[in-house]
Amino acid sequence: MTELVRVRTSSSNGNLEDIEIDASESTPLRQRKAPKSGFSGSLRRWAYIFDGNGNYYTKDWDLTEGRGKEFCWYHVELPKENQKLSLSAQYLIDVLCPPLKLQDILSLVSNGSFCGYVDGALVFRVNSPGPASSAYTCRLAARITENSVITVSLGRVPRLGFSQMGQSLLSEIPLVETPRCGNGEIKEGGVVIKEHVLEFLLTMNHSEEADNPVPSSVSNLVIHIIDTFVDHLQDIVTKLEVELDSVELELDRGGFALKKQMQDDRRFPKMHLNLQRLLQVIAHGEQVFPRIKEKCSSKQWFAQEDIVSLEELIGRLRRLKENVGFIANRVTAIQAGLDSWQSEQINKKLYYLSFLSIVFLPLSVITGVFGMNVGGVPWTNQRNHPDIQDGFRNVMFLCAVMLVLVLLCFCFGSLYTRIHAWWTRKTLKRSWSLNRKSFIKRTPRDGNEEREGYLRI
């Protein structure tokens, strides 16, 4: 007879719950291990099982592998917040250990690019070391076996999962909700969609999750994961292009205040830094994805048509890198234009300052001349003293000599260049005249004598 004992405990949310335990067990209640407190509630995750015939079902998070044609997919989304890398590892340890080991966790969450075998499973990662809260920091890691795939991403990757929606939103003709008709009324013949949602959909280069083809093998699933990751990078580049176009339009319409604000906010240097982070992620993908193709081409469970699809994705990634390079050149050109505009503003201010200097320069010269502590200054009584009447003349003579010396110092380079060029031309002309006299012999003026020597052509 099993004896049940009701015990009241507190749950994780603070509420009291009554549970029943078996009192006949030999292990005392004090010695029982309480469930470990972890971070599983703060992570978004899902699990699918595929039957290999184009059907999929959601399953429990038990990290088991499929059997036969079946294969499982487990995905974890790390929060997109500023946090230490060790905290991300603690998140994954909480949800993936066991059966994964610590070396599996470290290979998934570490920064940089990697592709290799860990405990018999193919592990690859494309993790950029930028701040996790940045929209241009992308991370994706995967652990692939013959019957299971475990993936980890930083934040949400659009179109990565699957959804069983009966009808897609894009199949309807949407009615854009404007501020004038934002009462939330749904009219017949369409679906009311908010304006910012429509702008988000316009920047996407893919459809919804409900339109994703269900993979029939592990290789199809791997291609789907890499394809959605490349789409995600394409979305980021598209949003950046839209933002850059709007900024260029603002610069064309804006005036002094707008340009000054952009210079003070360092908007374009920040944009250039984001582009460099994005280029780093793309460069990691260029290193990792060809290695995945090389390692998977010898596997029986990786289909040949998926190898071709992977080559196309690598080509897309290279074209995306060229596009990001073009955007970086545009940002550099705009920043150069702002720098030249700022230089023009500084030159205008210096021009006004120079104009004021020109106005007050004669006054300072006059006050300097008549403020000399020497004799002989004109229009003063100092000229009546014969002993000191030559002092002003001597000082002005010394000033003139010093001025000539200073001008010679400034003009010495140009004078030397002119004199050297004149002397070179004179030397060449003299040598040319000597050569003509030595090689050209004049013919006799008498027509009866025979012509000898060289004739001028």
Side-chain angles (χ1 to χ4, degrees):
M1 187 73 179
T2 303
E3 184 180 358
L4 299 178
V5 180
R6 185 178 297 274
V7 180
R8 175 165 294 182
T9 60
S10 60
S11 61
S12 59
N13 55 7
N15 299 329
L16 296 178
E17 296 180 354
D18 293 337
I19 60 174
E20 294 180 353
I21 62 174
D22 189 0
S24 62
E25 296 180 358
S26 59
T27 306
L29 183 61
R30 293 181 180 178
Q31 296 181 3
R32 294 177 183 235
K33 294 183 180 180
K36 62 178 181 178
S37 60
F39 312 97
S40 58
S42 61
L43 296 178
R44 186 172 182 265
R45 57 184 182 176
W46 66 72
Y48 295 121
I49 183 170
F50 302 87
D51 59 359
N53 298 321
N55 300 318
Y56 74 96
Y57 311 94
T58 57
K59 67 183 302 292
D60 297 331
W61 188 269
D62 52 6
L63 298 178
T64 58
E65 296 188 359
R67 298 179 180 178
K69 295 178 60 177
E70 295 181 350
F71 57 97
C72 303
W73 179 28
Y74 305 93
H75 180 71
V76 183
E77 288 183 3
L78 295 176
K80 206 171 180 62
E81 301 173 355
N82 280 331
Q83 57 191 4
K84 294 182 179 179
L85 200 60
S86 58
L87 184 58
S88 300
Q90 293 177 15
Y91 285 149
L92 294 184
I93 290 173
D94 183 62
V95 298
L96 297 178
C97 287
L100 266 65
K101 301 178 182 179
L102 180 59
Q103 57 186 0
D104 297 324
I105 301 299
L106 295 180
S107 61
L108 289 174
V109 78
S110 300
N111 283 331
S113 58
F114 174 77
C115 181
Y117 289 98
V118 180
D119 288 341
L122 178 62
V123 177
F124 74 86
R125 68 170 181 263
V126 184
N127 293 347
S128 58
S133 60
S134 175
Y136 300 92
T137 301
C138 302
R139 297 175 184 174
L140 178 68
R143 182 181 184 271
I144 306 169
T145 59
E146 188 174 356
N147 294 102
S148 70
V149 176
I150 300 175
T151 55
V152 180
S153 68
L154 180 63
R156 179 179 178 271
V157 179
R159 207 176 64 94
L160 182 60
F162 298 90
S163 61
Q164 297 177 352
M165 295 177 58
Q167 189 175 9
S168 175
L169 176 64
L170 298 180
S171 62
E172 296 270 349
I173 300 177
L175 300 176
V176 181
E177 181 184 11
T178 58
R180 291 180 297 177
C181 55
N183 51 6
E185 297 181 357
I186 301 178
K187 299 181 181 180
E188 297 181 357
V191 177
V192 176
I193 183 172
K194 295 185 179 297
E195 188 174 0
H196 70 277
V197 176
L198 181 59
E199 291 180 355
F200 171 74
L201 294 175
L202 288 174
T203 58
M204 296 170 61
N205 63 340
H206 49 71
S207 57
E208 298 176 351
E209 292 180 350
D211 300 325
N212 289 336
V214 179
S216 59
S217 63
V218 175
S219 60
N220 292 149
L221 181 58
V222 173
I223 295 300
H224 166 74
I225 293 170
I226 298 177
D227 188 14
T228 52
F229 180 71
V230 175
D231 284 341
H232 181 46
L233 296 179
Q234 182 67 50
D235 291 343
I236 296 175
V237 174
T238 305
K239 292 177 183 178
L240 194 59
E241 286 180 338
V242 172
E243 181 183 359
L244 189 58
D245 292 338
S246 62
V247 169
E248 289 180 348
L249 186 60
E250 290 178 3
L251 282 176
D252 294 338
R253 295 179 178 178
F256 177 85
L258 180 61
K259 295 179 180 179
K260 186 68 170 58
Q261 183 181 0
M262 287 187 177
Q263 282 287 82
D264 295 339
D265 295 341
R266 302 185 73 253
R267 187 167 184 176
F268 294 104
K270 293 178 181 178
M271 191 178 295
H272 198 274
L273 179 61
N274 293 329
L275 282 170
Q276 296 305 316
R277 290 173 180 165
L278 198 59
L279 278 174
Q280 189 177 23
V281 179
I282 297 174
H284 288 172
E286 282 188 332
Q287 296 175 6
V288 172
F289 296 155
R291 296 178 62 186
I292 295 174
K293 186 190 77 170
E294 179 183 354
K295 293 181 180 297
C296 292
S297 59
S298 59
K299 300 295 182 180
Q300 296 180 357
W301 47 267
F302 209 92
Q304 186 64 30
E305 56 270 14
D306 293 329
I307 296 291
V308 178
S309 301
L310 189 55
E311 291 179 354
E312 294 178 357
L313 290 175
I314 295 172
R316 279 187 57 193
L317 203 62
R318 290 170 180 169
R319 291 190 295 270
L320 186 62
K321 183 178 180 180
E322 295 178 358
N323 194 11
V324 174
F326 294 152
I327 298 175
N329 293 335
R330 288 178 59 186
V331 173
T332 304
I334 296 175
Q335 182 61 40
L338 281 179
D339 292 340
S340 63
W341 170 82
Q342 189 176 20
S343 301
E344 290 178 0
Q345 300 300 318
I346 294 174
N347 291 334
K348 286 183 180 179
K349 293 179 181 180
L350 292 177
Y351 171 76
Y352 297 145
L353 184 61
S354 302
F355 183 76
L356 292 177
S357 302
I358 292 173
V359 171
F360 289 100
L361 181 61
L363 300 178
S364 62
V365 171
I366 293 173
T367 55
V369 168
F370 286 95
M372 292 182 187
N373 193 14
V374 295
V377 179
W379 303 305
T380 61
N381 294 328
Q382 295 177 0
R383 297 179 63 86
N384 299 329
H385 300 280
D387 297 335
I388 60 175
Q389 63 180 356
D390 296 333
F392 178 75
R393 184 188 61 186
N394 297 334
V395 169
M396 296 304 294
F397 177 75
L398 290 175
C399 290
V401 172
M402 292 179 64
L403 180 62
V404 171
L405 291 177
V406 171
L407 291 177
L408 286 176
C409 291
F410 277 104
C411 300
F412 177 76
S414 60
L415 288 176
Y416 175 78
T417 304
R418 291 177 179 272
I419 293 173
H420 184 267
W422 171 78
W423 182 259
T424 304
R425 288 195 302 269
K426 185 177 180 182
T427 305
L428 290 176
K429 187 176 180 181
R430 183 182 303 171
S431 63
W432 173 249
S433 61
L434 292 175
N435 292 335
R436 289 182 63 187
K437 290 180 180 179
S438 61
F439 286 101
I440 300 176
K441 185 178 180 180
R442 293 184 179 180
T443 57
R445 294 185 179 180
D446 191 2
N448 297 328
E449 297 181 2
E450 186 180 358
R451 298 183 178 182
E452 295 179 358
Y454 295 97
L455 295 178
R456 296 183 62 180
I457 299 176

